[in-house]
mmCIF file of all heavy atoms in Angstrom:
data_model
loop_
_atom_site.group_PDB
_atom_site.id
_atom_site.type_symbol
_atom_site.label_atom_id
_atom_site.label_comp_id
_atom_site.label_asym_id
_atom_site.label_seq_id
_atom_site.Cartn_x
_atom_site.Cartn_y
_atom_site.Cartn_z
ATOM 1 N N VAL A 1 -15.160 8.679 -14.871
ATOM 2 C CA VAL A 1 -16.063 7.596 -15.272
ATOM 3 C C VAL A 1 -15.284 6.331 -14.990
ATOM 4 O O VAL A 1 -14.114 6.215 -15.361
ATOM 5 C CB VAL A 1 -16.429 7.701 -16.764
ATOM 6 C CG1 VAL A 1 -17.295 6.526 -17.181
ATOM 7 C CG2 VAL A 1 -17.144 9.010 -17.048
ATOM 8 N N TYR A 2 -15.911 5.383 -14.298
ATOM 9 C CA TYR A 2 -15.195 4.169 -13.935
ATOM 10 C C TYR A 2 -16.003 2.932 -14.282
ATOM 11 O O TYR A 2 -17.214 2.970 -14.421
ATOM 12 C CB TYR A 2 -14.805 4.180 -12.459
ATOM 13 C CG TYR A 2 -15.964 4.247 -11.493
ATOM 14 C CD1 TYR A 2 -16.530 3.103 -10.965
ATOM 15 C CD2 TYR A 2 -16.493 5.484 -11.100
ATOM 16 C CE1 TYR A 2 -17.584 3.164 -10.083
ATOM 17 C CE2 TYR A 2 -17.542 5.558 -10.217
ATOM 18 C CZ TYR A 2 -18.080 4.391 -9.708
ATOM 19 O OH TYR A 2 -19.135 4.456 -8.823
ATOM 20 N N LEU A 3 -15.270 1.842 -14.409
ATOM 21 C CA LEU A 3 -15.856 0.557 -14.792
ATOM 22 C C LEU A 3 -15.294 -0.508 -13.871
ATOM 23 O O LEU A 3 -14.073 -0.610 -13.701
ATOM 24 C CB LEU A 3 -15.477 0.258 -16.244
ATOM 25 C CG LEU A 3 -16.193 -0.833 -16.981
ATOM 26 C CD1 LEU A 3 -17.675 -0.522 -17.115
ATOM 27 C CD2 LEU A 3 -15.586 -0.992 -18.359
ATOM 28 N N THR A 4 -16.186 -1.274 -13.218
ATOM 29 C CA THR A 4 -15.754 -2.388 -12.381
ATOM 30 C C THR A 4 -16.253 -3.682 -12.998
ATOM 31 O O THR A 4 -16.993 -3.680 -13.990
ATOM 32 C CB THR A 4 -16.324 -2.263 -10.949
ATOM 33 O OG1 THR A 4 -17.747 -2.362 -11.008
ATOM 34 C CG2 THR A 4 -15.909 -0.953 -10.293
ATOM 35 N N ARG A 5 -15.864 -4.806 -12.424
ATOM 36 C CA ARG A 5 -16.329 -6.110 -12.917
ATOM 37 C C ARG A 5 -17.851 -6.193 -12.992
ATOM 38 O O ARG A 5 -18.408 -6.747 -13.927
ATOM 39 C CB ARG A 5 -15.832 -7.224 -11.999
ATOM 40 C CG ARG A 5 -14.441 -7.650 -12.281
ATOM 41 C CD ARG A 5 -14.053 -8.778 -11.353
ATOM 42 N NE ARG A 5 -12.719 -8.427 -10.900
ATOM 43 C CZ ARG A 5 -12.239 -8.662 -9.727
ATOM 44 N NH1 ARG A 5 -12.937 -9.281 -8.826
ATOM 45 N NH2 ARG A 5 -11.026 -8.272 -9.417
ATOM 46 N N GLU A 6 -18.507 -5.639 -11.988
ATOM 47 C CA GLU A 6 -19.963 -5.699 -11.931
ATOM 48 C C GLU A 6 -20.618 -4.865 -13.037
ATOM 49 O O GLU A 6 -21.793 -5.060 -13.335
ATOM 50 C CB GLU A 6 -20.469 -5.231 -10.565
ATOM 51 C CG GLU A 6 -20.126 -6.157 -9.429
ATOM 52 C CD GLU A 6 -18.685 -5.999 -8.969
ATOM 53 O OE1 GLU A 6 -18.111 -4.896 -9.088
ATOM 54 O OE2 GLU A 6 -18.108 -6.998 -8.489
ATOM 55 N N ASP A 7 -19.877 -3.939 -13.615
ATOM 56 C CA ASP A 7 -20.419 -3.064 -14.666
ATOM 57 C C ASP A 7 -20.283 -3.669 -16.070
ATOM 58 O O ASP A 7 -20.657 -3.039 -17.048
ATOM 59 C CB ASP A 7 -19.704 -1.703 -14.655
ATOM 60 C CG ASP A 7 -19.848 -1.007 -13.314
ATOM 61 O OD1 ASP A 7 -20.905 -1.171 -12.671
ATOM 62 O OD2 ASP A 7 -18.907 -0.309 -12.906
ATOM 63 N N ILE A 8 -19.721 -4.880 -16.162
ATOM 64 C CA ILE A 8 -19.564 -5.565 -17.443
ATOM 65 C C ILE A 8 -20.479 -6.788 -17.411
ATOM 66 O O ILE A 8 -20.323 -7.652 -16.561
ATOM 67 C CB ILE A 8 -18.105 -6.004 -17.669
ATOM 68 C CG1 ILE A 8 -17.178 -4.799 -17.582
ATOM 69 C CG2 ILE A 8 -17.976 -6.726 -19.007
ATOM 70 C CD1 ILE A 8 -15.709 -5.156 -17.564
ATOM 71 N N GLN A 9 -21.445 -6.823 -18.321
ATOM 72 C CA GLN A 9 -22.391 -7.940 -18.339
ATOM 73 C C GLN A 9 -22.406 -8.592 -19.716
ATOM 74 O O GLN A 9 -22.357 -7.905 -20.732
ATOM 75 C CB GLN A 9 -23.781 -7.455 -17.971
ATOM 76 C CG GLN A 9 -23.838 -6.910 -16.550
ATOM 77 C CD GLN A 9 -25.220 -6.474 -16.146
ATOM 78 O OE1 GLN A 9 -26.206 -6.722 -16.831
ATOM 79 N NE2 GLN A 9 -25.311 -5.814 -15.010
ATOM 80 N N ASP A 10 -22.489 -9.912 -19.698
ATOM 81 C CA ASP A 10 -22.557 -10.677 -20.938
ATOM 82 C C ASP A 10 -24.019 -10.826 -21.320
ATOM 83 O O ASP A 10 -24.815 -11.402 -20.592
ATOM 84 C CB ASP A 10 -21.924 -12.054 -20.731
ATOM 85 C CG ASP A 10 -21.908 -12.879 -22.010
ATOM 86 O OD1 ASP A 10 -22.249 -12.357 -23.074
ATOM 87 O OD2 ASP A 10 -21.535 -14.062 -21.918
ATOM 88 N N MET A 11 -24.375 -10.269 -22.463
ATOM 89 C CA MET A 11 -25.752 -10.348 -22.936
ATOM 90 C C MET A 11 -25.747 -10.989 -24.319
ATOM 91 O O MET A 11 -25.470 -10.341 -25.319
ATOM 92 C CB MET A 11 -26.391 -8.962 -22.985
ATOM 93 C CG MET A 11 -26.502 -8.306 -21.640
ATOM 94 S SD MET A 11 -27.276 -6.709 -21.777
ATOM 95 C CE MET A 11 -27.682 -6.385 -20.099
ATOM 96 N N GLY A 12 -26.020 -12.270 -24.322
ATOM 97 C CA GLY A 12 -26.069 -12.986 -25.599
ATOM 98 C C GLY A 12 -24.701 -13.124 -26.245
ATOM 99 O O GLY A 12 -24.596 -13.092 -27.467
ATOM 100 N N GLY A 13 -23.661 -13.288 -25.448
ATOM 101 C CA GLY A 13 -22.333 -13.479 -25.987
ATOM 102 C C GLY A 13 -21.576 -12.191 -26.288
ATOM 103 O O GLY A 13 -20.423 -12.215 -26.666
ATOM 104 N N LYS A 14 -22.222 -11.050 -26.127
ATOM 105 C CA LYS A 14 -21.572 -9.761 -26.391
ATOM 106 C C LYS A 14 -21.503 -8.993 -25.078
ATOM 107 O O LYS A 14 -22.530 -8.794 -24.424
ATOM 108 C CB LYS A 14 -22.382 -8.978 -27.418
ATOM 109 C CG LYS A 14 -21.774 -7.654 -27.764
ATOM 110 C CD LYS A 14 -22.595 -6.939 -28.810
ATOM 111 C CE LYS A 14 -21.971 -5.585 -29.094
ATOM 112 N NZ LYS A 14 -22.806 -4.765 -29.980
ATOM 113 N N PRO A 15 -20.306 -8.525 -24.693
ATOM 114 C CA PRO A 15 -20.231 -7.780 -23.432
ATOM 115 C C PRO A 15 -20.851 -6.386 -23.563
ATOM 116 O O PRO A 15 -20.681 -5.707 -24.569
ATOM 117 C CB PRO A 15 -18.726 -7.667 -23.185
ATOM 118 C CG PRO A 15 -18.094 -7.828 -24.508
ATOM 119 C CD PRO A 15 -19.015 -8.693 -25.319
ATOM 120 N N HIS A 16 -21.608 -6.010 -22.557
ATOM 121 C CA HIS A 16 -22.203 -4.687 -22.484
ATOM 122 C C HIS A 16 -21.582 -3.970 -21.294
ATOM 123 O O HIS A 16 -21.459 -4.533 -20.212
ATOM 124 C CB HIS A 16 -23.724 -4.772 -22.312
ATOM 125 C CG HIS A 16 -24.445 -5.123 -23.562
ATOM 126 N ND1 HIS A 16 -24.347 -6.347 -24.149
ATOM 127 C CD2 HIS A 16 -25.251 -4.393 -24.336
ATOM 128 C CE1 HIS A 16 -25.093 -6.379 -25.244
ATOM 129 N NE2 HIS A 16 -25.655 -5.188 -25.383
ATOM 130 N N LEU A 17 -21.200 -2.704 -21.498
ATOM 131 C CA LEU A 17 -20.567 -1.919 -20.448
ATOM 132 C C LEU A 17 -21.572 -0.936 -19.858
ATOM 133 O O LEU A 17 -22.292 -0.262 -20.582
ATOM 134 C CB LEU A 17 -19.382 -1.142 -21.034
ATOM 135 C CG LEU A 17 -18.338 -1.954 -21.780
ATOM 136 C CD1 LEU A 17 -17.261 -1.044 -22.346
ATOM 137 C CD2 LEU A 17 -17.738 -3.025 -20.913
ATOM 138 N N PHE A 18 -21.623 -0.893 -18.532
ATOM 139 C CA PHE A 18 -22.509 0.003 -17.815
ATOM 140 C C PHE A 18 -21.671 0.841 -16.850
ATOM 141 O O PHE A 18 -21.681 0.615 -15.643
ATOM 142 C CB PHE A 18 -23.575 -0.795 -17.054
ATOM 143 C CG PHE A 18 -24.442 -1.622 -17.955
ATOM 144 C CD1 PHE A 18 -24.129 -2.941 -18.233
ATOM 145 C CD2 PHE A 18 -25.568 -1.071 -18.538
ATOM 146 C CE1 PHE A 18 -24.930 -3.698 -19.076
ATOM 147 C CE2 PHE A 18 -26.376 -1.816 -19.385
ATOM 148 C CZ PHE A 18 -26.052 -3.143 -19.652
ATOM 149 N N PRO A 19 -20.913 1.836 -17.387
ATOM 150 C CA PRO A 19 -20.016 2.625 -16.536
ATOM 151 C C PRO A 19 -20.777 3.522 -15.566
ATOM 152 O O PRO A 19 -21.952 3.822 -15.770
ATOM 153 C CB PRO A 19 -19.220 3.458 -17.551
ATOM 154 C CG PRO A 19 -20.128 3.571 -18.726
ATOM 155 C CD PRO A 19 -20.908 2.275 -18.776
ATOM 156 N N GLN A 20 -20.070 3.919 -14.515
ATOM 157 C CA GLN A 20 -20.620 4.827 -13.521
ATOM 158 C C GLN A 20 -19.733 6.064 -13.476
ATOM 159 O O GLN A 20 -18.575 6.014 -13.888
ATOM 160 C CB GLN A 20 -20.650 4.150 -12.160
ATOM 161 C CG GLN A 20 -21.534 2.896 -12.170
ATOM 162 C CD GLN A 20 -21.587 2.259 -10.810
ATOM 163 O OE1 GLN A 20 -21.997 2.907 -9.854
ATOM 164 N NE2 GLN A 20 -21.170 1.020 -10.716
ATOM 165 N N ALA A 21 -20.261 7.160 -12.986
ATOM 166 C CA ALA A 21 -19.492 8.402 -12.916
ATOM 167 C C ALA A 21 -19.611 9.016 -11.537
ATOM 168 O O ALA A 21 -20.579 8.780 -10.823
ATOM 169 C CB ALA A 21 -19.994 9.390 -13.978
ATOM 170 N N GLY A 22 -18.612 9.807 -11.183
ATOM 171 C CA GLY A 22 -18.641 10.514 -9.918
ATOM 172 C C GLY A 22 -17.346 11.279 -9.707
ATOM 173 O O GLY A 22 -16.418 11.193 -10.518
ATOM 174 N N VAL A 23 -17.295 11.997 -8.605
ATOM 175 C CA VAL A 23 -16.093 12.736 -8.228
ATOM 176 C C VAL A 23 -15.381 11.937 -7.145
ATOM 177 O O VAL A 23 -16.003 11.500 -6.172
ATOM 178 C CB VAL A 23 -16.455 14.147 -7.708
ATOM 179 C CG1 VAL A 23 -15.219 14.871 -7.207
ATOM 180 C CG2 VAL A 23 -17.145 14.943 -8.793
ATOM 181 N N VAL A 24 -14.082 11.737 -7.306
ATOM 182 C CA VAL A 24 -13.295 11.023 -6.312
ATOM 183 C C VAL A 24 -13.136 11.946 -5.108
ATOM 184 O O VAL A 24 -12.637 13.060 -5.220
ATOM 185 C CB VAL A 24 -11.922 10.605 -6.876
ATOM 186 C CG1 VAL A 24 -11.093 9.907 -5.803
ATOM 187 C CG2 VAL A 24 -12.090 9.700 -8.097
ATOM 188 N N THR A 25 -13.602 11.478 -3.950
ATOM 189 C CA THR A 25 -13.567 12.320 -2.746
ATOM 190 C C THR A 25 -12.456 11.931 -1.779
ATOM 191 O O THR A 25 -12.089 12.740 -0.931
ATOM 192 C CB THR A 25 -14.919 12.238 -2.002
ATOM 193 O OG1 THR A 25 -15.201 10.874 -1.689
ATOM 194 C CG2 THR A 25 -16.029 12.826 -2.848
ATOM 195 N N ALA A 26 -11.935 10.714 -1.894
ATOM 196 C CA ALA A 26 -10.865 10.278 -0.988
ATOM 197 C C ALA A 26 -10.108 9.126 -1.628
ATOM 198 O O ALA A 26 -10.631 8.436 -2.503
ATOM 199 C CB ALA A 26 -11.442 9.847 0.355
ATOM 200 N N ALA A 27 -8.892 8.927 -1.167
ATOM 201 C CA ALA A 27 -8.075 7.808 -1.640
ATOM 202 C C ALA A 27 -7.202 7.336 -0.492
ATOM 203 O O ALA A 27 -6.820 8.127 0.376
ATOM 204 C CB ALA A 27 -7.214 8.245 -2.825
ATOM 205 N N ASP A 28 -6.912 6.042 -0.478
ATOM 206 C CA ASP A 28 -5.961 5.517 0.506
ATOM 207 C C ASP A 28 -5.046 4.530 -0.196
ATOM 208 O O ASP A 28 -4.987 4.488 -1.418
ATOM 209 C CB ASP A 28 -6.672 4.936 1.729
ATOM 210 C CG ASP A 28 -7.458 3.665 1.435
ATOM 211 O OD1 ASP A 28 -7.315 3.102 0.350
ATOM 212 O OD2 ASP A 28 -8.215 3.242 2.328
ATOM 213 N N ARG A 29 -4.370 3.693 0.572
ATOM 214 C CA ARG A 29 -3.357 2.827 -0.031
ATOM 215 C C ARG A 29 -3.914 1.727 -0.920
ATOM 216 O O ARG A 29 -3.186 1.142 -1.702
ATOM 217 C CB ARG A 29 -2.452 2.245 1.035
ATOM 218 C CG ARG A 29 -3.148 1.499 2.104
ATOM 219 C CD ARG A 29 -2.197 1.144 3.239
ATOM 220 N NE ARG A 29 -2.952 0.823 4.417
ATOM 221 C CZ ARG A 29 -3.328 -0.409 4.731
ATOM 222 N NH1 ARG A 29 -2.986 -1.400 3.981
ATOM 223 N NH2 ARG A 29 -4.048 -0.609 5.800
ATOM 224 N N SER A 30 -5.228 1.455 -0.841
ATOM 225 C CA SER A 30 -5.752 0.365 -1.652
ATOM 226 C C SER A 30 -7.082 0.666 -2.347
ATOM 227 O O SER A 30 -7.593 -0.189 -3.054
ATOM 228 C CB SER A 30 -5.928 -0.887 -0.791
ATOM 229 O OG SER A 30 -6.879 -0.645 0.225
ATOM 230 N N ALA A 31 -7.641 1.876 -2.151
ATOM 231 C CA ALA A 31 -8.975 2.144 -2.696
ATOM 232 C C ALA A 31 -9.192 3.633 -2.914
ATOM 233 O O ALA A 31 -8.397 4.459 -2.469
ATOM 234 C CB ALA A 31 -10.037 1.612 -1.733
ATOM 235 N N ILE A 32 -10.300 3.934 -3.640
ATOM 236 C CA ILE A 32 -10.763 5.311 -3.780
ATOM 237 C C ILE A 32 -12.219 5.364 -3.351
ATOM 238 O O ILE A 32 -12.931 4.355 -3.416
ATOM 239 C CB ILE A 32 -10.610 5.847 -5.228
ATOM 240 C CG1 ILE A 32 -11.453 5.025 -6.206
ATOM 241 C CG2 ILE A 32 -9.161 5.914 -5.643
ATOM 242 C CD1 ILE A 32 -11.539 5.619 -7.600
ATOM 243 N N GLN A 33 -12.656 6.535 -2.913
ATOM 244 C CA GLN A 33 -14.076 6.728 -2.611
ATOM 245 C C GLN A 33 -14.639 7.716 -3.611
ATOM 246 O O GLN A 33 -14.033 8.728 -3.926
ATOM 247 C CB GLN A 33 -14.293 7.261 -1.203
ATOM 248 C CG GLN A 33 -15.773 7.363 -0.864
ATOM 249 C CD GLN A 33 -16.019 7.825 0.546
ATOM 250 O OE1 GLN A 33 -15.238 8.572 1.122
ATOM 251 N NE2 GLN A 33 -17.132 7.393 1.124
ATOM 252 N N VAL A 34 -15.834 7.380 -4.113
ATOM 253 C CA VAL A 34 -16.501 8.226 -5.087
ATOM 254 C C VAL A 34 -17.693 8.888 -4.396
ATOM 255 O O VAL A 34 -18.298 8.303 -3.483
ATOM 256 C CB VAL A 34 -16.960 7.382 -6.292
ATOM 257 C CG1 VAL A 34 -17.572 8.240 -7.362
ATOM 258 C CG2 VAL A 34 -15.777 6.623 -6.874
ATOM 259 N N ASP A 35 -18.042 10.109 -4.824
ATOM 260 C CA ASP A 35 -19.093 10.873 -4.145
ATOM 261 C C ASP A 35 -20.460 10.206 -4.159
ATOM 262 O O ASP A 35 -21.318 10.548 -3.371
ATOM 263 C CB ASP A 35 -19.199 12.286 -4.697
ATOM 264 C CG ASP A 35 -19.644 12.351 -6.146
ATOM 265 O OD1 ASP A 35 -19.662 11.303 -6.835
ATOM 266 O OD2 ASP A 35 -19.976 13.449 -6.600
ATOM 267 N N ASN A 36 -20.674 9.232 -5.038
ATOM 268 C CA ASN A 36 -21.963 8.532 -5.026
ATOM 269 C C ASN A 36 -21.950 7.378 -4.025
ATOM 270 O O ASN A 36 -22.847 6.560 -4.004
ATOM 271 C CB ASN A 36 -22.370 8.053 -6.422
ATOM 272 C CG ASN A 36 -21.353 7.155 -7.061
ATOM 273 O OD1 ASN A 36 -20.352 6.800 -6.467
ATOM 274 N ND2 ASN A 36 -21.606 6.774 -8.302
ATOM 275 N N GLY A 37 -20.900 7.334 -3.156
ATOM 276 C CA GLY A 37 -20.954 6.441 -2.008
ATOM 277 C C GLY A 37 -19.902 5.375 -1.861
ATOM 278 O O GLY A 37 -19.321 5.246 -0.798
ATOM 279 N N PRO A 38 -19.625 4.570 -2.884
ATOM 280 C CA PRO A 38 -18.823 3.383 -2.599
ATOM 281 C C PRO A 38 -17.327 3.647 -2.485
ATOM 282 O O PRO A 38 -16.797 4.568 -3.097
ATOM 283 C CB PRO A 38 -19.090 2.501 -3.817
ATOM 284 C CG PRO A 38 -19.345 3.455 -4.923
ATOM 285 C CD PRO A 38 -20.078 4.601 -4.265
ATOM 286 N N TRP A 39 -16.681 2.824 -1.665
ATOM 287 C CA TRP A 39 -15.230 2.707 -1.693
ATOM 288 C C TRP A 39 -14.938 1.621 -2.713
ATOM 289 O O TRP A 39 -15.517 0.537 -2.654
ATOM 290 C CB TRP A 39 -14.679 2.290 -0.335
ATOM 291 C CG TRP A 39 -14.470 3.429 0.600
ATOM 292 C CD1 TRP A 39 -15.354 3.913 1.514
ATOM 293 C CD2 TRP A 39 -13.309 4.242 0.693
ATOM 294 N NE1 TRP A 39 -14.819 4.986 2.193
ATOM 295 C CE2 TRP A 39 -13.543 5.201 1.700
ATOM 296 C CE3 TRP A 39 -12.083 4.263 0.030
ATOM 297 C CZ2 TRP A 39 -12.610 6.165 2.062
ATOM 298 C CZ3 TRP A 39 -11.148 5.226 0.403
ATOM 299 C CH2 TRP A 39 -11.411 6.155 1.399
ATOM 300 N N LEU A 40 -14.067 1.896 -3.650
ATOM 301 C CA LEU A 40 -13.720 0.944 -4.698
ATOM 302 C C LEU A 40 -12.285 0.497 -4.524
ATOM 303 O O LEU A 40 -11.358 1.312 -4.588
ATOM 304 C CB LEU A 40 -13.879 1.597 -6.079
ATOM 305 C CG LEU A 40 -15.252 2.169 -6.408
ATOM 306 C CD1 LEU A 40 -15.176 2.997 -7.683
ATOM 307 C CD2 LEU A 40 -16.264 1.052 -6.555
ATOM 308 N N ASN A 41 -12.084 -0.801 -4.292
ATOM 309 C CA ASN A 41 -10.741 -1.337 -4.219
ATOM 310 C C ASN A 41 -10.092 -1.260 -5.591
ATOM 311 O O ASN A 41 -10.738 -1.536 -6.605
ATOM 312 C CB ASN A 41 -10.755 -2.788 -3.756
ATOM 313 C CG ASN A 41 -11.075 -2.914 -2.285
ATOM 314 O OD1 ASN A 41 -10.670 -2.082 -1.486
ATOM 315 N ND2 ASN A 41 -11.823 -3.933 -1.934
ATOM 316 N N ALA A 42 -8.818 -0.867 -5.622
ATOM 317 C CA ALA A 42 -8.117 -0.724 -6.902
ATOM 318 C C ALA A 42 -8.139 -2.015 -7.700
ATOM 319 O O ALA A 42 -8.264 -1.995 -8.924
ATOM 320 C CB ALA A 42 -6.672 -0.274 -6.648
ATOM 321 N N GLU A 43 -8.095 -3.159 -7.037
ATOM 322 C CA GLU A 43 -8.093 -4.444 -7.755
ATOM 323 C C GLU A 43 -9.431 -4.746 -8.421
ATOM 324 O O GLU A 43 -9.489 -5.542 -9.346
ATOM 325 C CB GLU A 43 -7.697 -5.578 -6.825
ATOM 326 C CG GLU A 43 -8.660 -5.769 -5.669
ATOM 327 C CD GLU A 43 -8.146 -6.715 -4.623
ATOM 328 O OE1 GLU A 43 -6.919 -6.786 -4.414
ATOM 329 O OE2 GLU A 43 -9.002 -7.383 -3.987
ATOM 330 N N ASP A 44 -10.509 -4.086 -7.988
ATOM 331 C CA ASP A 44 -11.833 -4.293 -8.585
ATOM 332 C C ASP A 44 -12.111 -3.363 -9.759
ATOM 333 O O ASP A 44 -13.054 -3.577 -10.528
ATOM 334 C CB ASP A 44 -12.945 -4.091 -7.543
ATOM 335 C CG ASP A 44 -12.877 -5.140 -6.449
ATOM 336 O OD1 ASP A 44 -12.349 -6.238 -6.701
ATOM 337 O OD2 ASP A 44 -13.350 -4.849 -5.339
ATOM 338 N N ILE A 45 -11.309 -2.295 -9.895
ATOM 339 C CA ILE A 45 -11.525 -1.315 -10.963
ATOM 340 C C ILE A 45 -10.870 -1.819 -12.241
ATOM 341 O O ILE A 45 -9.712 -2.229 -12.241
ATOM 342 C CB ILE A 45 -10.939 0.049 -10.567
ATOM 343 C CG1 ILE A 45 -11.579 0.562 -9.287
ATOM 344 C CG2 ILE A 45 -11.111 1.052 -11.707
ATOM 345 C CD1 ILE A 45 -10.882 1.770 -8.696
ATOM 346 N N LYS A 46 -11.616 -1.788 -13.325
ATOM 347 C CA LYS A 46 -11.086 -2.197 -14.621
ATOM 348 C C LYS A 46 -10.574 -1.012 -15.416
ATOM 349 O O LYS A 46 -9.631 -1.149 -16.185
ATOM 350 C CB LYS A 46 -12.157 -2.934 -15.432
ATOM 351 C CG LYS A 46 -12.609 -4.221 -14.817
ATOM 352 C CD LYS A 46 -11.452 -5.167 -14.727
ATOM 353 C CE LYS A 46 -11.860 -6.494 -14.162
ATOM 354 N NZ LYS A 46 -10.704 -7.348 -13.894
ATOM 355 N N LEU A 47 -11.210 0.153 -15.258
ATOM 356 C CA LEU A 47 -10.876 1.306 -16.086
ATOM 357 C C LEU A 47 -11.366 2.573 -15.407
ATOM 358 O O LEU A 47 -12.457 2.587 -14.851
ATOM 359 C CB LEU A 47 -11.558 1.161 -17.455
ATOM 360 C CG LEU A 47 -11.400 2.255 -18.476
ATOM 361 C CD1 LEU A 47 -9.976 2.261 -19.025
ATOM 362 C CD2 LEU A 47 -12.376 2.047 -19.618
#
């Protein structure tokens, strides 16, 4: 389960988390790929 900047939204002054889940299918020197499609740069991942 992962959380990126885009998955954190401010709703009325309170942060809401919208995590995503998947299986990591590949990794390289700066990112991981998840089976639901995206390559995620390590610097964009929060958790």
